[in-house]
Amino acid sequence: DQQVKQNSPSLSVQEGRISILNCDYTNSMFDYFLWYKKYPAEGPTFLISISSIKDKNEDGRFTVFLNKSAKHLSLHIVPSQPGDSAVYFCAASLDGGSQGNLIFGKGTKLSVKP
Amino acid sequence: GAVVSQHPSRVICKSGTSVKIECRSLDFQATTMFWYRQFPKQSLMLMATSNEGSKATYEQGVEKDKFLINHASLTLSTLTVTSAHPEDSSFYICSARDRDRFYGYTFGSGTRLTVV
């Protein structure tokens, strides 16, 4: 049973618009969430994270929202740029992210069209 | 920023042979490195946690005798797939955490293993 789910395998957005990537989880004990971006033939790159004690974290064009009651988090990218086209992974941790045992979703492929 | 170098990026080997994958942290020390595996259209799954100077910790269902991990220094961890079989064909990727950064694990570029 998958504990971290990214139900949309792909998403297409026009340049300049907002991209919203969603992630659902089943384990209420998760206390730290991370988003990674992955280009083809490269390893995932850390993007942004959020602790379970917060409901929002913002870093430039990227904002992550956490809704603990719904066990849902989302990554907002605004404005979207063609260079944002990549696969985005949502990951969750049970130990504040300190031990590296990250549980990943399957990823969502974002395509930003010029 | 922190860089993790992983080699080789692609390897094709015959069934029954062993393959070694290296993971190096280039500009930071990593007391702990992590090895993941990803099958097509699946999530990255943690296989094992590699600790410098001690035995690796394997996740449930991962055969420690088949996937040998050695973390001999603060900058190098190796994963050896022994007696590889076609079902071991997968994408293997390592990550490490810079001791000076609390969050954000730096990943290697991954190794595509194909066993024929």
Side-chain angles (χ1 to χ4, degrees):
Chain A
D1 183 36
Q2 198 162 10
Q3 297 187 67
V4 177
K5 300 176 184 179
Q6 292 175 261
N7 292 320
S8 298
S10 63
L11 174 69
S12 183
V13 172
Q14 204 68 32
E15 180 180 6
R17 299 290 187 99
I18 185 172
S19 294
I20 300 177
L21 297 124
N22 294 305
C23 179
D24 296 295
Y25 61 95
T26 58
N27 192 337
S28 58
M29 299 301 290
F30 287 140
D31 59 5
Y32 204 78
F33 303 89
L34 306 93
W35 282 94
Y36 285 85
K37 179 169 71 173
K38 184 181 181 301
Y39 293 115
E42 294 183 13
T45 303
F46 171 74
L47 202 55
I48 193 170
S49 63
I50 188 167
S51 166
S52 61
I53 63 173
K54 295 187 175 183
D55 54 20
K56 177 182 175 181
N57 188 25
E58 190 172 354
D59 183 3
R61 297 186 297 115
F62 304 92
T63 303
V64 55
F65 295 93
L66 176 62
N67 183 335
K68 279 183 293 184
S69 61
K71 295 192 182 71
H72 176 83
L73 67 156
S74 60
L75 173 68
H76 292 213
I77 306 173
V78 55
S80 302
Q81 300 173 353
D84 296 329
S85 298
V87 177
Y88 289 78
F89 288 96
C90 169
S93 170
L94 288 164
D95 52 17
S98 64
Q99 296 301 319
N101 189 354
L102 301 176
I103 300 169
F104 285 85
K106 291 184 179 182
T108 297
K109 183 177 182 180
L110 173 66
S111 299
V112 180
K113 301 188 183 305
Chain B
V3 176
V4 173
S5 175
Q6 184 172 344
H7 294 281
S9 58
R10 289 181 181 272
V11 59
I12 300 173
C13 71
K14 290 186 177 180
S15 186
T17 62
S18 296
V19 174
K20 180 185 282 188
I21 303 169
E22 289 191 353
C23 183
R24 294 180 183 271
S25 57
L26 295 187
D27 50 3
F28 67 98
Q29 293 184 330
T31 54
T32 305
M33 291 187 178
F34 309 92
W35 288 94
Y36 293 83
R37 178 169 56 183
Q38 184 183 24
F39 291 109
K41 299 185 180 181
Q42 299 297 318
S43 312
L44 285 164
M45 298 293 291
L46 180 68
M47 297 175 64
T49 301
S50 165
N51 301 295
E52 186 267 337
S54 65
K55 291 182 179 180
T57 304
Y58 291 83
E59 296 301 302
Q60 190 174 9
V62 178
E63 300 173 58
K64 62 180 181 181
D65 294 330
K66 180 169 186 62
F67 299 99
L68 301 180
I69 291 173
N70 185 291
H71 193 156
S73 75
L74 286 171
T75 59
L76 174 64
S77 176
T78 61
L79 167 68
T80 302
V81 183
T82 63
S83 186
H85 291 287
E87 57 265 30
D88 298 324
S89 298
S90 184
F91 184 69
Y92 294 85
I93 192 165
C94 66
S95 77
R97 183 171 69 87
D98 187 338
R99 293 187 305 185
D100 296 329
R101 297 171 65 209
F102 174 71
Y103 57 83
Y105 299 86
T106 302
F107 283 82
S109 55
T111 298
R112 172 71 61 190
L113 170 64
T114 303
V115 184
V116 297

